[in-house]
């Protein structure tokens, strides 16, 4: 019951006061199956891209973080080809930094920030990470190409 009322509150906040460049909604009528869109930030290789995400809210939410993954392919050192995201706030302690005080809006904002500032020292994609570290121009080129190919409307 607590989970349902919290989710309703979070969704209505996301609808009335969404973070800049982020939208989130219920997928059909299921409260625990959400979709989100993140606009690629200005001055990033993802600029003008629209990235779709799937959010699955677990039974134990907010004591367990939602499972979030990209549905739109993205060229990024911390996001793999299945759309999984390597980000500490998406994992429970001791390895992660999830806390029940965090919410879906905070997570989506953190993901948006990760898109703008990849963390090459904690990669899911080692090859993209080394490209980011040692050949930034090639990384930016590839990321822009992927954005044009997969995230343009």
């Amino acid at each position: 019951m607590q989970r349902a009322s919290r989710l309703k509150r979070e969704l209505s906040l996301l609808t009335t006061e969404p973070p800049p460049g982020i939208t989130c909604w219920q997928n059909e009528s299921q409260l625990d199956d959400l979709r989100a869109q993140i606009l690629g930030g200005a001055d990033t290789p993802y600029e003008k891209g629209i990235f779709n995400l799937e959010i699955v809210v677990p039974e134990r939410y907010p004591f367990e973080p939602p499972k979030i993954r990209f549905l739109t392919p993205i060229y990024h050192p911390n996001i793999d080809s299945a759309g999984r995201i390597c980000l500490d706030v998406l994992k429970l302690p001791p390895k992660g930094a999830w806390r029940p005080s965090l919410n879906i809006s905070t997570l989506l904002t953190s993901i948006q920030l990760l898109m703008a500032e990849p963390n090459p020292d904690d990669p899911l994609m080692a090859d993209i990470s080394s490209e980011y570290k040692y050949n930034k121009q090639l990384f930016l080129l590839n990321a822009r190409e992927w954005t044009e190919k997969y995230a343009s409307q």
Side-chain angles (χ1 to χ4, degrees), residues 22-142:
I22 295 175
T23 48
C24 184
W25 65 94
Q26 243 173 288
N27 192 30
E28 290 161 15
S29 61
Q30 293 173 297
L31 193 57
D32 57 0
D33 184 16
L34 310 175
R35 291 292 179 270
Q37 275 186 341
I38 296 180
L39 301 178
D43 305 322
T44 74
Y46 310 110
E47 189 170 8
K48 295 192 174 89
I50 298 175
F51 297 88
N52 293 304
L53 292 88
E54 170 189 71
I55 304 167
V56 178
V57 183
E59 278 301 317
R60 296 194 51 240
Y61 184 79
F63 303 104
E64 210 175 280
K67 305 235 177 307
I68 303 180
R69 71 182 185 94
F70 275 79
L71 297 173
T72 305
I74 181 170
Y75 194 84
H76 194 286
N78 307 107
I79 301 160
D80 73 9
S81 53
R84 292 180 304 236
I85 306 161
C86 184
L87 186 62
D88 59 353
V89 290
L90 294 175
K91 294 186 272 249
L92 284 166
K95 284 197 167 99
W98 170 257
R99 296 183 312 281
S101 58
L102 296 172
N103 60 34
I104 292 167
S105 178
T106 318
L107 293 179
L108 291 170
T109 304
S110 300
I111 292 168
Q112 189 182 41
L113 195 65
L114 181 71
M115 286 169 67
E117 294 174 24
N119 177 4
D121 299 323
D122 188 17
L124 269 180
M125 304 296 280
D127 50 339
I128 298 177
S129 174
S130 61
E131 191 178 281
Y132 180 84
K133 279 177 160 172
Y134 306 114
N135 192 347
K136 191 104 176 239
Q137 289 309 316
L138 182 61
F139 165 79
L140 292 170
L141 186 78
N142 285 328

